[in-house]
Amino acid sequence: MIKTKMPSAYTILFSIIIIMAILTWVIPAGQYEYLTDGGPVAGTYHSVEPNGQTVTDVFLAAFNGLYGAIDVAAFILMVGGYLGVMVKTGAISAAITGITGRLRGREKLMIPILMCVFALGGTTFGMAEETIAFYPLVLPIVIAAGYDAVTAVSVIMLGAGAGVLGSTVNPFATGIASGFAGISLGEGIILRLGILLASLAVTIWYVMRYAEKTKANPGLSLVADMAEKHREHFLTLQGEEVKLTGKRKTSLVIFALTFIIMIYSVIPFEDIGITFLPTLGWWFPELSALFFVSAVAAGLVYRLNQYEIIDGFLEGAKDLLGVAFIIGISRGITVIMNSGHITDTILSWGESLLTGTGSVVFTLLSYAVFLPLSFLIPSTSGLATLSMPIMAPLSDFSGMGRDIVITAFQSACGLVNLITPTSAVVMGGLAIGKIPYDRWLKFVWKLLIILFAISAAFLILGSLL
């Protein structure tokens, strides 16, 4: 039997470039008149001279896309570099180790506390791949306390996942989407905070309910037949203890301040009626500089020499180089569509469909569209770059703020990425926890329905306000 694999995000996106190039020879060319803020003016669509895209245009599209999104790509590399320096200091690992150490014997409290910590990472810097390093630390402690491997994996995967679903300033999802939608990262942050708190509270309750039930009656565990093998394996699997020294505590303070400054700098206080706080209006160049300065500061505080800081920074940036390339390829799709004058034609079709539907219907339709797209394109940055040039202007026709579309996008991505088999985070975490994929689905499907309902309810509320 020949095994087939899901095409990579690069393959899918480049294939879409080719398809869109072909469609520029089929779809009628047209344009809207635009306002100064970039929004299309309803009813102004008109036909223009067609400009079918060639093979040369296809190969140039990704590069032209990257040039057009270089500020976003540079920002992503700066965030990666900063996280690389933080990994070099060991501050984040030491903080998690310190929490688990202090809670030995009180493991019931460890579940909500650790889930909140991982959720904080998810909502601020999109903590996902970084969680893989914590499984060898958390699994032995949770299993030794009488819980099963599903509980241990849930603490990490669902904790961080709830944070990503309720991303407030996650640069890899909300940040990129806001950039391509042409609005501030701070717009819609209150609604996203509501989704975060509600989703996290329900997720913690769901995990603790299962944990207590299976601890009291191990036979109810979804991996009851694997319990002995898990105990034999994980109780000998101890991660290296990393101590929370004074230098690491200072690095964590810098880490926290960086995200506090980031959040403050992107909130448009004047637009929401807060006049006593100055609006900084920072965007990708300023935020890139913030993360670069913070990386150097964290390295110097930990007394890393110049070569260690550079090595850590380059290692972190290298880990996100693929994200930068995905942004370029995704943006290349928009380049092809704009050059072929079919973007506005598709917007015109959308305007016709949306006329009279209202903001609530469009909000739910957006959410429904993003769910399958998230399966197809598991890269949140790639999907944001691909979809926002179309979905954000469409929201203008329904009278809805673009921030609602961004919230629908990130909520859908966060939900799907809790189970998608194309995610290295999901499959990697399950592999380390030795949990079969079908049993994970059996455990999490009810939670997904609840989280879907929570996100939809908040999106409807946001569209009505």
Side-chain angles (χ1 to χ4, degrees):
M1 182 177 178
I2 299 175
K3 292 184 178 180
T4 58
K5 290 185 177 181
M6 179 76 177
S8 70
Y10 300 98
T11 303
I12 293 172
L13 292 171
F14 195 77
S15 298
I16 295 175
I17 288 180
I18 296 172
I19 292 170
M20 286 301 168
I22 295 171
L23 289 177
T24 61
W25 295 88
V26 178
I27 296 176
Q31 285 184 342
Y32 275 98
E33 293 178 12
Y34 281 81
L35 301 171
T36 54
D37 64 359
V41 179
T44 63
Y45 174 80
H46 58 279
S47 298
V48 298
E49 190 70 22
N51 183 30
Q53 300 295 282
T54 65
V55 174
T56 302
D57 295 321
V58 167
F59 284 107
L60 288 175
F63 298 102
N64 289 329
L66 185 58
Y67 295 148
I70 195 65
D71 55 344
V72 182
F75 170 63
I76 292 301
L77 294 179
M78 292 303 103
V79 174
Y82 177 49
L83 294 177
V85 174
M86 287 300 296
V87 168
K88 199 89 169 175
T89 67
I92 297 176
S93 295
I96 301 295
T97 302
I99 292 172
T100 54
R102 288 177 178 273
L103 292 173
R104 277 192 174 91
R106 294 174 292 171
E107 282 77 8
K108 184 177 180 179
L109 293 176
M110 182 173 65
I111 293 175
I113 291 174
L114 280 182
M115 289 184 73
C116 287
V117 170
F118 286 118
L120 185 61
T123 193
T124 52
F125 65 93
M127 190 177 197
E129 287 84 357
E130 298 85 357
T131 60
I132 297 297
F134 297 106
Y135 286 100
L137 172 66
V138 174
L139 275 159
I141 296 171
V142 173
I143 290 177
Y147 300 110
D148 68 358
V150 172
T151 301
V153 169
S154 299
V155 166
I156 302 174
M157 192 179 299
L158 295 182
V164 172
L165 188 153
S167 292
T168 48
V169 291
N170 175 2
F172 306 109
T174 315
I176 292 175
S178 298
F180 286 112
I183 66 171
S184 166
L185 177 58
E187 292 187 41
I189 195 170
I190 301 300
L191 180 65
R192 298 195 293 270
L193 182 61
I195 293 176
L196 169 67
L197 295 177
S199 299
L200 180 59
V202 167
T203 304
I204 290 173
W205 164 80
Y206 190 86
V207 173
M208 291 191 71
R209 178 172 171 268
Y210 172 84
E212 289 302 303
K213 179 179 69 174
T214 53
K215 184 176 183 179
N217 186 354
L220 296 176
S221 168
L222 292 173
V223 289
D225 58 320
M226 308 170 71
E228 284 305 314
K229 288 184 178 179
H230 283 169
R231 290 184 65 84
E232 290 174 9
H233 176 75
F234 291 118
L235 295 186
T236 60
L237 179 67
Q238 295 289 340
E240 180 183 352
E241 183 176 353
V242 184
K243 294 182 179 180
L244 189 60
T245 62
K247 292 185 292 184
R248 286 180 173 139
K249 288 179 181 178
T250 307
S251 295
L252 286 173
V253 170
I254 294 173
F255 186 78
L257 285 175
T258 299
F259 282 96
I260 291 172
I261 293 171
M262 175 184 173
I263 294 169
Y264 179 88
S265 69
V266 299
I267 295 177
F269 292 107
E270 294 175 357
D271 294 345
I272 57 178
I274 300 177
T275 57
F276 60 89
L277 291 175
T279 297
L280 297 181
W282 286 11
W283 204 219
F284 289 125
E286 294 86 356
L287 295 177
S288 297
L290 170 66
F291 280 99
F292 176 75
V293 171
S294 296
V296 175
L300 292 176
V301 163
Y302 195 68
R303 296 183 184 175
L304 298 176
N305 61 44
Q306 58 178 316
Y307 301 106
E308 290 172 323
I309 294 175
I310 292 170
D311 286 345
F313 192 91
L314 292 179
E315 279 294 316
K318 183 182 71 175
D319 289 342
L320 294 183
L321 188 60
V323 176
F325 283 141
I326 281 179
I327 289 171
I329 299 172
S330 302
R331 188 63 175 170
I333 297 168
T334 305
V335 169
I336 285 284
M337 293 172 66
N338 288 345
S339 298
H341 305 311
I342 65 172
T343 302
D344 285 8
T345 301
I346 295 173
L347 286 177
S348 176
W349 295 344
E351 180 187 3
S352 300
L353 290 172
L354 289 172
T355 300
T357 60
S359 58
V360 172
V361 173
F362 180 72
T363 299
L364 295 177
L365 285 175
S366 299
Y367 193 25
V369 166
F370 283 125
L371 286 168
L373 283 178
S374 297
F375 272 108
L376 181 65
I377 305 172
S379 168
T380 54
S381 53
L383 181 55
T385 310
L386 168 65
S387 61
M388 283 305 143
I390 292 290
M391 296 300 294
L394 277 179
S395 69
D396 299 338
F397 296 131
S398 67
M400 185 181 66
R402 295 187 174 193
D403 56 296
I404 301 295
V405 176
I406 292 169
T407 304
F409 150 76
Q410 66 163 61
S411 298
C413 288
L415 190 70
V416 169
N417 284 332
L418 293 176
I419 58 166
T420 178
T422 59
S423 169
V425 176
V426 172
M427 302 312 290
L430 295 181
I432 296 173
K434 297 188 177 299
I435 299 172
Y437 181 67
D438 62 319
R439 301 195 195 187
W440 176 251
L441 290 181
K442 187 175 181 180
F443 167 71
V444 82
W445 73 269
K446 292 180 182 177
L447 176 63
L448 294 181
I449 294 174
I450 298 172
L451 294 177
F452 172 85
I454 288 173
S455 300
F458 271 94
L459 286 168
I460 293 172
L461 177 64
S463 67
L464 293 174
L465 296 178

